[in-house]
Amino acid sequence: MSLRLSLLAVLLAWPVAACTAATASPQAATGNAKAFDAAFQKLNGPAFLDVPSATIEAEFVRLRSLLPANDPARDIHFRSVFCNSLQWKDAHRGRDYSKTAVQLAHSAGDVASEARARLCLATYIMLLDGSQQGLPEIDTAIHLLKEHQEPQLLAEALEMRGDLLSLLGEQAKAMLDFQRARTAFRRAGITQEVNPLMFSMAVAYRRMGDWDRAASYFTAAQQRARAIGDTEAEATNLLQLGFLRLETSAPDKALSAFSQAVSIAQQHADTSSVNAARTGIAEAQILLGKPDAALSTLQQARTGYLADQDNSSNDMLLLLTGRALAAKGQYAQALQRYQQALPLIQANGNERYLAQLHQAQASSEEALGQPAAALQDFKKFHALQMKLRSKMQLEQNQMMAFEDAIRRTDFENRQLRAQAEVRQQELKALERVRHWQWLAIVLALLLLALLCSMAWRQWQRSKKLQDLTLQDPLTGIANRLGIEREVVRALTSAQREHSPMSLLMLDLDRFKSINDRFGHAAGDQVLRDVTRAWQTQLRNRDPLGRVGGEEFIVVCLDADLNKALAVAERLREATQALHFDGIDPGLRISVSIGAAQVLADGESSDALIQRADRALYRAKHSGGNRIEY
């Protein structure tokens, strides 16, 4: 069955006596080994990848009734799935049960059962200790499964880790796990798209800012869930639509979606969705100028989380409480909540929440007449925003590669299926005709198809190699040859269309001292960070290239000299704002920039580059950290 983070805290009640009995020995008085094995395989097969929790719980009851007495191997199998049951109200008991399941499976050498139990254990650890704390158990499960022939279980583990990484703001890594999960599902013979995996990808789209695509998926999924009566999926989709509306500055629509989610989840005792929806309602109420209502809603959510023994949202509850207090003008009390939230957010490693906290804290400090503290928090907020924007751009690039890989995989799968069908037809023809002449023709066609396939693959490889020759391997941007081609292409277009065009030459000031003091690895890291910071300040169609060492070129399309100078100033400020705490907290860097606009007399690209280079020379010899033209 699929292990999704959206269900981590849905731990409903079962009598303590039953939990105690299951912990001691979850065996029935009678059982049927063959029927148990069939039910166990079905429960862990494709049929249960996307079914409501109630269906899975019913299968747990049936599986327990089939468990033979005094059968250690099947007892381990049962524990490895029953630990994920919703019938564990006490998260501490669930964690202890999962630990026992891990130990028994490990001692028996049952890798698949150990991996399943570790995924259960990760769920309880995240509930009790915070989201990031469950990551090591998931990593261990994935490591075990890579050497074991359990492709569907590996896919579910990768999907679970991708969900967690997405929650922590690592969308590029999450998408890579989702791609690997998709491949593993294919290896398991599951050719159709797995809805929970597609849902996880849509959540990642939302978190990386591709709101239109995410909204399209959630709306369609909501309609499907409503059509088949899957209220659990309906509540989950409403939650995601609510978060999406918050991120697109539509708190009134978010409030409506969250309220519907609460109504549906309460009808089915889905306390986890109720708590999450109330947290979203509180944020919408803050944005709508209703801080008192928000504080009341947050108290309801806090009570619900406490009843579920779910500590994973304590950081956000404190942050939102602080924001609500600040909206009431109670800035000192708000700062207290922010200080309580800070170590929790840092422990979880969620930089999106950390940026929100520093921004909120700066506002309250400014209101209390603490300008120095406010400035310090605002600087931290700004640095995190720069980092998150840079990360988002990288994630979007990773997403493009991910989607390309999906299209390529789909194409190859279609080709394989088509080839299999052709081969089947050919075999049937051979059986009917049984004539060597027809066999020779078929073999010739197969050889021709193979040659065409080889030619196609060779063309693809050649294209990739050609792209690599134009790319700087360190920074991922264009190299000298690549950017000089862009300059020629842009100059030709500008002269043909009589449109303006400018060129910027950039050189990092005193870069050699960084290599001398901290080593070339540190210098390489500085070049990568600077390049990412610049890319966030440029339009996607303005080429950026590295011409050697610490020297770069930016082509400003459709830009006269004044517009190019404005771009140059943004690049200069972005460079100064960078921090390199991983190298030296005190390390700062600046850049000198030379600008030149294309002349109307049809000058060459070499002449344009030389004029920009002379301007750069003047900037460098005037003390650096300046712009000349």
Side-chain angles (χ1 to χ4, degrees):
M1 72 205 131
S2 181
L3 301 170
R4 289 167 283 170
L5 286 179
S6 60
L7 299 177
L8 288 180
V10 190
L11 302 175
L12 303 180
W14 202 25
V16 172
C19 288
T20 304
T23 304
S25 179
Q27 299 175 349
T30 60
N32 185 312
K34 187 175 181 180
F36 175 90
D37 292 343
F40 182 80
Q41 291 300 322
K42 179 182 177 183
L43 182 62
N44 291 285
F48 276 77
L49 280 173
D50 186 26
V51 296
S53 299
T55 304
I56 296 174
E57 286 303 306
E59 196 66 18
F60 280 146
V61 173
R62 178 170 176 268
L63 190 66
R64 190 169 189 272
S65 70
L66 296 172
L67 179 61
N70 303 317
D71 189 335
R74 289 183 175 84
D75 178 71
I76 289 171
H77 288 170
F78 178 78
R79 287 173 181 270
S80 73
V81 294
F82 184 71
C83 62
N84 198 55
S85 170
L86 304 182
Q87 298 180 17
W88 295 96
K89 180 178 180 180
D90 190 326
H92 292 88
R93 286 181 177 271
R95 180 184 60 188
D96 294 342
Y97 184 86
S98 300
K99 285 182 178 179
T100 302
V102 169
Q103 293 165 358
L104 290 172
H106 182 76
S107 298
D110 187 340
V111 174
S113 292
E114 181 182 349
R116 288 189 185 93
R118 286 190 182 276
L119 296 181
C120 285
L121 181 57
T123 299
Y124 294 110
I125 290 174
M126 285 187 277
L127 284 172
L128 294 170
D129 302 326
S131 301
Q132 194 173 35
Q133 307 310 314
L135 192 57
E137 291 295 337
I138 304 176
D139 287 338
T140 301
I142 291 172
H143 177 73
L144 289 171
L145 292 169
K146 283 182 178 178
E147 304 297 328
H148 197 70
Q149 294 302 315
E150 290 280 348
Q152 180 181 326
L153 181 55
L154 174 61
E156 293 173 17
L158 287 165
E159 180 191 343
M160 185 175 182
R161 186 171 70 179
D163 282 336
L164 179 54
L165 291 171
S166 176
L167 177 66
L168 296 175
E170 296 290 346
Q171 307 308 327
K173 292 180 181 178
M175 278 298 176
L176 185 58
D177 270 348
F178 294 150
Q179 180 183 7
R180 290 168 176 162
R182 194 172 185 271
T183 301
F185 278 130
R186 294 293 184 268
R187 287 207 310 270
I190 303 169
T191 57
Q192 76 277 12
E193 294 297 352
V194 178
N195 283 335
L197 178 60
M198 300 304 292
F199 178 84
S200 297
M201 290 167 55
V203 174
Y205 281 129
R206 174 182 69 78
R207 287 170 174 156
M208 71 171 57
D210 196 343
W211 295 310
D212 290 340
R213 189 178 305 191
S216 174
Y217 178 88
F218 292 136
T219 302
Q222 177 72 1
Q223 292 170 351
R224 287 197 303 271
R226 190 171 296 160
I228 64 176
D230 187 348
T231 55
E232 182 180 347
E234 189 177 354
T236 301
N237 277 287
L238 282 168
L239 278 173
Q240 289 301 323
L241 280 171
F243 291 129
L244 180 64
R245 300 312 178 198
L246 285 177
E247 291 167 359
T248 53
S249 302
D252 51 340
K253 294 181 180 179
L255 189 61
S256 174
F258 287 132
S259 298
Q260 291 179 60
V262 168
S263 177
I264 293 172
Q266 283 180 330
Q267 293 175 23
H268 301 276
D270 182 359
T271 56
S272 174
S273 295
V274 170
N275 298 335
R278 281 176 174 162
T279 306
I281 287 173
E283 185 169 3
Q285 289 170 332
I286 293 170
L287 295 173
L288 291 170
K290 301 176 180 179
D292 289 321
L295 288 171
S296 176
T297 304
L298 285 167
Q299 184 55 46
Q300 290 179 309
R302 189 176 291 108
T303 301
Y305 281 121
L306 186 63
D308 282 350
Q309 300 183 27
D310 183 355
N311 300 323
S312 61
S313 298
N314 287 351
D315 50 358
M316 181 49 68
L317 291 174
L318 287 166
L319 176 57
L320 290 176
T321 301
R323 287 175 55 187
L325 290 170
K328 288 169 58 69
Q330 298 175 10
Y331 301 110
Q333 294 92 324
L335 285 177
Q336 291 177 358
R337 301 304 190 282
Y338 297 149
Q339 289 302 308
Q340 292 169 355
L342 179 60
L344 299 178
I345 294 175
Q346 289 173 331
N348 277 330
N350 194 319
E351 293 180 332
R352 291 186 300 119
Y353 289 176
L354 191 59
Q356 293 177 30
L357 183 140
H358 285 303
Q359 183 185 32
Q361 198 161 254
S363 297
S364 290
E365 288 164 343
E366 184 179 15
L368 289 171
Q370 301 174 10
L375 178 61
Q376 188 69 19
D377 271 308
F378 181 80
K379 287 181 177 179
K380 292 178 181 178
F381 162 71
H382 180 70
L384 282 168
Q385 282 293 90
M386 291 283 293
K387 183 177 180 181
L388 289 170
R389 285 187 190 133
S390 177
K391 182 186 289 186
M392 181 175 290
Q393 185 164 7
L394 289 175
E395 289 167 349
Q396 290 171 345
N397 292 338
Q398 181 75 28
M399 177 65 70
M400 292 175 62
F402 171 72
E403 292 172 340
D404 179 68
I406 288 178
R407 286 192 295 269
R408 187 169 59 251
T409 301
D410 285 342
F411 174 78
E412 291 174 353
N413 287 337
R414 287 195 299 271
Q415 288 293 96
L416 288 172
R417 288 194 294 271
Q419 290 172 6
E421 292 173 1
V422 169
R423 175 165 291 190
Q424 187 65 26
Q425 293 172 1
E426 290 169 350
L427 289 174
K428 289 180 179 179
L430 287 172
E431 290 174 359
R432 289 194 305 267
V433 178
R434 294 189 178 278
H435 195 284
W436 288 105
Q437 183 178 4
W438 283 108
L439 178 59
I441 293 173
V442 170
L443 291 175
L445 289 174
L446 290 174
L447 179 59
L448 179 61
L450 177 61
L451 291 174
C452 290
S453 175
M454 293 174 63
W456 170 259
R457 291 179 181 275
Q458 186 61 35
W459 180 81
Q460 289 283 64
R461 291 193 189 99
S462 299
K463 186 176 182 299
K464 288 181 180 178
L465 288 174
Q466 183 179 8
D467 292 341
L468 289 174
T469 61
L470 301 177
Q471 187 180 64
D472 176 42
L474 176 62
T475 61
I477 61 176
N479 60 14
R480 175 185 287 275
L481 179 60
I483 195 63
E484 287 179 349
R485 287 191 181 185
E486 292 293 341
V487 173
V488 171
R489 185 181 295 113
L491 181 59
T492 302
S493 176
Q495 291 172 343
R496 182 178 62 250
E497 299 175 7
H498 303 290
S499 60
M501 172 206 156
S502 299
L503 198 70
L504 301 178
M505 295 281 293
L506 304 91
D507 193 305
L508 298 179
D509 299 326
R510 295 172 290 280
F511 180 76
K512 184 177 181 298
S513 65
I514 297 176
N515 285 330
D516 293 342
R517 290 175 59 197
F518 305 107
H520 288 280
D524 290 348
Q525 185 60 48
V526 169
L527 289 174
R528 286 192 290 266
D529 289 351
V530 167
T531 302
R532 284 195 290 266
W534 288 348
Q535 287 175 318
T536 64
Q537 304 299 319
L538 295 172
R539 298 174 298 180
N540 289 336
R541 63 193 185 92
D542 287 344
L544 168 65
R546 181 184 178 204
V547 296
E550 64 273 20
E551 191 170 346
F552 300 81
I553 286 179
V554 172
V555 181
C556 299
L557 303 173
D558 299 320
D560 58 18
L561 185 58
N562 288 333
K563 291 182 180 178
L565 291 175
V567 173
E569 180 60 22
R570 290 203 307 270
L571 298 177
R572 189 190 67 80
E573 291 177 352
T575 307
Q576 278 193 304
L578 285 172
H579 293 258
F580 304 95
D581 294 343
I583 301 173
D584 184 344
L587 176 61
R588 297 293 183 275
I589 194 166
S590 61
V591 62
S592 298
I593 305 176
Q597 181 179 347
V598 174
L599 300 177
D601 59 359
E603 67 176 335
S604 67
S605 61
D606 289 341
L608 176 62
I609 291 173
Q610 288 176 6
R611 287 200 295 112
D613 192 48
R614 287 195 295 271
L616 172 62
Y617 180 84
R618 292 194 297 273
K620 294 288 287 186
H621 285 267
S622 296
N625 194 23
R626 59 187 294 119
I627 304 166
E628 292 288 344
Y629 58 92

